[in-house]
Amino acid sequence: MSDFYAALVESTDDAIVAKDVNGTVLSWNPAAVRLFGYSEAEMVGQSIVQLLPDDRLDEEVNILTRIRAGERVGQFFTKRRHKSGRLIDVSVTVSPVHDKDGNVVGASKIARDATQVLERERRLRQSEARFHMLADNIAPFAWIAEPSGNIIWYNKRWYDYTGTTLEDMRGWGWTKVHHPDHVDRVREHIKSCFESGEEWEDTFPLRSKEGEYRWFLSRAKPIREEHGNIIWWFGTNTDITEQREQAEQIRLLLMEVNHRSKNMLSTIQALIRRSVKDNDGFIARFQDRIRSLAVNQDILVRREWREVPVEELARLQLAFVMDAPGEITISGSEFPLNPRAAEIIGMALHELATNSLKYGALSAGGGQVSIGWEVDEEGGLFSMHWTESGGPQVTAPEQTGFGSTLIAEVPRRFFGGEAGIDYASSGISWSLKAPLAMIRAGLSQSAATN
């Protein structure tokens, strides 16, 4: 058996060193040669202190004191000097060796190169420090939850704002800082997302440690492992109180501008009625066009002067003829118009509807008006049509007026495409073809010319 144990000591990758209670080396295995660079002949009979850097001499004194007392020294990390003079990181355990009477006669030391272990720990500490530096200094609150939704971590920003602790917030404790008017809705929504695995987004107020409520845009994203199973949820809460206040101010301003501009349009209508006499037809058409502008303004203000869906524009502009004798059908995919395009197309639709109600398919039972549009993404083209049938027989006008300008000239000139009206006897038809860059919301006019 002694030969077997000797073979173990000789073949192990751990440096195994035997020393007496004074620190004199008694045995030195091959792994110790590889680790420290000294041969067995160079170390046996020498003090183990030879391996210690100057600033760690007290370390060996402490070890020997504990060994003499029969105490085992558990694993610890330290530095030792290689024969070349360089310092190496090692992990060390030291155990007392007893004789048959139980007396401590020496020590068995096991040492292992700890360079890689300590480097991994250093990188881990560095990574953790960077994470906390980032997480605790970003503007949003941040948090991590288990797959069930049980929140286990918040960044410092959360605690600074709410004045809470992790113990207060564990699990679903976050509901304590939610506004009572919103908490049930928020809880049900996020619970549904936790169960379905869908990304979560919501807006609600949170209470600060001073008792003030501020609004936050909150999102959470599921973090999945390689097989798609959710292992964590990562969430953020971004303060949008000022943005909400600014948006409300802008909304009120737009409403005020809309109100004043409508008053101005009313003033213009009154001036026209007083200035143009004995021409009721002209005054009526002019008032119709003013009302069309007002409808466009209402739509744009409600949409915060951004995008207007084609279908919404068509239905609102044609609301005044929906009870006409003729029938209107509207079809087309969802498509957002930019504000200027909405104004021009809205005026054209209103003009077409007014004419149809007086002279065309909408003036008689059985008349049909078909309105539709198509989007050709590959060709970069938007197409729209107005087609009438089943109404009175159509004859082309001998001369064109301002209505024709609204229907054809203005769209053609502004969009740089094609716009025109065909006076077929079976019913008039209007068509528009325009570059998407001039029509779609989110694209500037300059995009069409680049």
Side-chain angles (χ1 to χ4, degrees):
M1 185 63 71
S2 60
D3 290 341
F4 177 75
Y5 283 123
L8 284 179
V9 171
E10 292 294 309
S11 61
T12 182
D13 289 332
D14 293 331
I16 300 178
V17 178
K19 57 186 179 182
D20 62 21
V21 293
N22 296 314
T24 300
V25 175
L26 301 177
S27 68
W28 189 260
N29 75 338
V33 176
R34 294 192 295 270
L35 181 59
F36 298 112
Y38 291 98
S39 67
E40 182 179 10
E42 289 174 310
M43 286 303 300
V44 172
Q46 302 298 317
S47 173
I48 197 68
V49 172
Q50 184 172 330
L51 300 179
L52 272 68
D54 294 340
D55 61 347
R56 296 180 184 261
L57 294 176
D58 291 343
E59 189 177 278
E60 184 65 17
V61 173
N62 178 57
I63 291 173
L64 291 175
T65 299
R66 293 172 64 182
I67 289 298
R68 293 188 190 107
E71 182 182 345
R72 181 178 181 275
V73 179
Q75 184 185 42
F76 65 98
F77 293 97
T78 185
K79 290 186 180 293
R80 291 294 181 259
R81 192 186 304 279
H82 188 270
K83 181 179 179 180
S84 65
R86 64 183 173 87
L87 297 180
I88 55 176
D89 292 307
V90 293
S91 66
V92 176
T93 56
V94 187
S95 302
V97 176
H98 300 83
D99 63 14
K100 62 181 181 179
D101 297 322
N103 300 313
V104 177
V105 294
S108 173
K109 169 182 174 180
I110 298 178
R112 178 177 296 172
D113 189 341
T115 303
Q116 293 183 353
V117 173
L118 293 178
E119 178 61 18
R120 283 196 296 269
E121 288 190 357
R122 184 191 68 79
R123 291 182 179 178
L124 182 62
R125 288 193 301 271
Q126 185 181 60
S127 177
E128 186 173 0
R130 287 174 178 170
F131 167 76
H132 282 291
M133 178 181 67
L134 174 64
D136 290 337
N137 289 283
I138 58 175
F141 306 154
W143 46 270
I144 297 174
E146 295 174 334
S148 64
N150 180 46
I151 298 180
I152 60 170
W153 174 87
Y154 290 92
N155 68 343
K156 185 174 180 293
R157 299 276 295 181
W158 171 273
Y159 298 121
D160 289 345
Y161 175 79
T162 62
T164 60
T165 65
L166 181 58
E167 288 304 315
D168 297 330
M169 297 290 101
R170 280 192 186 279
W172 295 73
W174 49 266
T175 57
K176 299 173 186 176
V177 298
H178 275 246
H179 195 285
D181 293 346
H182 298 266
V183 64
D184 291 338
R185 171 185 64 81
V186 174
R187 185 194 292 113
E188 290 306 310
H189 184 196
I190 196 170
K191 183 179 178 182
S192 173
C193 290
F194 284 152
E195 292 174 352
S196 67
E198 298 177 2
E199 293 188 16
W200 171 72
E201 181 175 315
D202 208 339
T203 304
F204 45 76
L206 293 174
R207 188 182 67 243
S208 72
K209 56 187 176 185
E210 290 84 13
E212 174 194 13
Y213 281 97
R214 295 183 66 84
W215 281 86
F216 288 82
L217 170 63
S218 302
R219 296 186 175 100
K221 181 181 181 64
I223 308 301
R224 303 176 186 272
E225 42 98 272
E226 59 180 349
H227 299 297
N229 299 315
I230 297 174
I231 54 176
W232 301 108
W233 285 87
F234 178 72
T236 59
N237 308 94
T238 304
D239 191 333
I240 58 168
T241 305
E242 293 182 1
Q243 290 91 324
R244 280 176 63 90
E245 292 173 351
Q246 291 170 356
E248 179 62 14
Q249 291 173 357
I250 292 172
R251 188 184 70 83
L252 293 175
L253 179 60
L254 286 173
M255 290 176 65
E256 176 64 17
V257 170
N258 190 37
H259 175 70
R260 294 191 182 191
S261 62
K262 281 187 175 181
N263 287 342
M264 185 178 296
L265 291 176
S266 297
T267 301
I268 293 172
Q269 285 179 310
L271 288 173
I272 287 293
R273 284 195 297 270
R274 293 180 181 180
S275 301
V276 181
K277 298 180 180 180
D278 303 325
N279 197 336
D280 293 340
F282 169 78
I283 293 174
R285 294 299 295 270
F286 186 82
Q287 288 178 327
D288 279 344
R289 288 160 184 163
I290 292 293
R291 281 193 290 271
S292 176
L293 282 173
V295 170
N296 270 338
Q297 275 198 189
D298 282 338
I299 298 171
L300 290 170
V301 168
R302 189 171 62 253
R303 289 278 175 176
E304 298 180 352
W305 219 264
R306 289 199 290 265
E307 63 180 41
V308 178
V310 183
E311 183 174 355
E312 180 179 341
L313 175 70
R315 293 191 181 281
L316 291 175
Q317 280 289 4
L318 302 179
F320 76 103
V321 293
M322 285 302 180
D323 293 329
E327 183 180 348
I328 299 176
T329 59
I330 300 174
S331 62
S333 60
E334 184 176 339
F335 184 78
L337 298 171
N338 62 52
R340 184 63 178 136
E343 287 181 327
I344 293 172
I345 293 176
M347 290 289 290
L349 291 176
H350 188 276
E351 192 70 19
L352 287 163
T354 300
N355 290 336
S356 182
L357 184 61
K358 289 183 177 181
Y359 316 113
L362 295 179
S363 66
Q368 298 281 335
V369 174
S370 170
I371 305 168
W373 58 90
E374 296 179 351
V375 179
D376 179 2
E377 294 287 354
E378 291 186 4
L381 193 66
F382 173 85
S383 302
M384 190 171 190
H385 73 266
W386 170 293
T387 305
E388 298 187 19
S389 61
Q393 187 172 356
V394 175
T395 57
E398 295 181 0
Q399 59 183 10
T400 59
F402 184 65
S404 297
T405 300
L406 290 176
I407 294 171
E409 292 299 325
V410 173
R412 185 163 55 240
R413 189 165 56 245
F414 180 80
F415 296 134
E418 301 175 11
I421 188 165
D422 178 29
Y423 294 95
S425 60
S426 58
I428 71 168
S429 61
W430 169 82
S431 63
L432 167 70
K433 292 184 179 180
L436 287 179
M438 297 297 292
I439 293 280
R440 174 180 277 151
L443 295 178
S444 64
Q445 295 178 26
S446 61
T449 59
N450 290 340

